[in-house]
Amino acid sequence: MTDYTKIKQQLYQNCLEFVDERLNTVTNIMDSNKKALFSETKSSAGDKHETGRAMLQLEMEKASQQLTSINQMKGVLQKLTIDYNSDIISLGSLIVTDKANYFLAISIGKITIDSSDYYAVSTNSPIGKQLLGKHIGEVILFNNAEILDIF
């Protein structure tokens, strides 16, 4: 008998670690770009200076968008209740099928636990949209294959 609650906890922990790693990376990039932006001194090559500043500004905007995305993922993870089991698939559900195993949370891809693969997917992903609200035992069509929910 598989302990699905323990697996859900491990999947949830993997999602938290993923978000923390991304947050650290983006924060470091933003800090580095801020330092570079403030240390840019105007040289005799004015156009080169302005191009450098514009590139740094673009990098800062990109990092800011990534930070927004990370905060959204953190918000989704805070809403999850992994200790709750239901016959209806919802955020935080572990779905074990005859084709693949899914954890409905945030999209981070494949996670391997005890030599079994699980796919952390969001409710906005194509498979997440298909699974959300379904009942145990329902069959869905996804990528020309039937997926039978067996958990």
Side-chain angles (χ1 to χ4, degrees):
M1 181 84 181
T2 305
D3 185 359
Y4 290 113
T5 303
K6 189 174 183 179
I7 292 170
K8 281 173 69 171
Q9 290 170 342
Q10 290 175 316
L11 291 167
Y12 179 73
Q13 189 60 41
N14 274 284
C15 289
L16 286 174
E17 289 169 7
F18 174 84
V19 170
D20 286 343
E21 284 177 29
R22 293 232 4 229
L23 180 60
N24 287 337
T25 301
V26 170
T27 302
N28 288 339
I29 289 170
M30 290 180 84
D31 289 344
S32 173
N33 286 343
K34 280 180 189 174
K35 288 177 187 173
L37 196 59
F38 289 126
S39 69
E40 275 283 316
T41 57
K42 191 144 183 143
S43 66
S44 59
D47 287 345
K48 193 181 221 181
H49 168 76
E50 293 303 318
T51 301
R53 289 185 66 81
M55 297 280 287
L56 285 171
Q57 287 288 24
L58 286 174
E59 287 296 317
M60 291 291 285
E61 287 175 23
K62 183 178 166 185
S64 178
Q65 289 172 349
Q66 290 175 343
L67 188 59
T68 300
S69 172
I70 291 166
N71 286 329
Q72 288 172 342
M73 285 190 275
K74 284 176 85 170
V76 168
L77 291 176
Q78 288 173 348
K79 293 178 188 175
L80 254 104
T81 44
I82 57 173
D83 298 331
Y84 176 74
N85 290 322
S86 172
D87 289 345
I88 300 172
I89 297 171
S90 61
L91 189 63
S93 290
L94 174 62
I95 304 101
V96 178
T97 74
D98 57 347
K99 302 288 184 206
N101 305 314
Y102 302 98
F103 179 56
L104 205 53
I106 60 173
S107 292
I108 66 170
K110 184 168 76 170
I111 301 168
T112 303
I113 297 174
D114 297 332
S115 70
S116 293
D117 293 334
Y118 300 87
Y119 295 91
V121 297
S122 77
T123 56
N124 293 326
S125 68
I127 189 67
K129 287 178 183 177
Q130 287 264 346
L131 291 169
L132 192 63
K134 297 294 188 269
H135 292 79
I136 290 177
E138 269 190 72
V139 175
I140 64 167
L141 288 175
F142 185 73
N143 285 344
N144 296 324
E146 283 187 358
I147 297 177
L148 174 63
D149 178 21
I150 59 172
F151 171 74

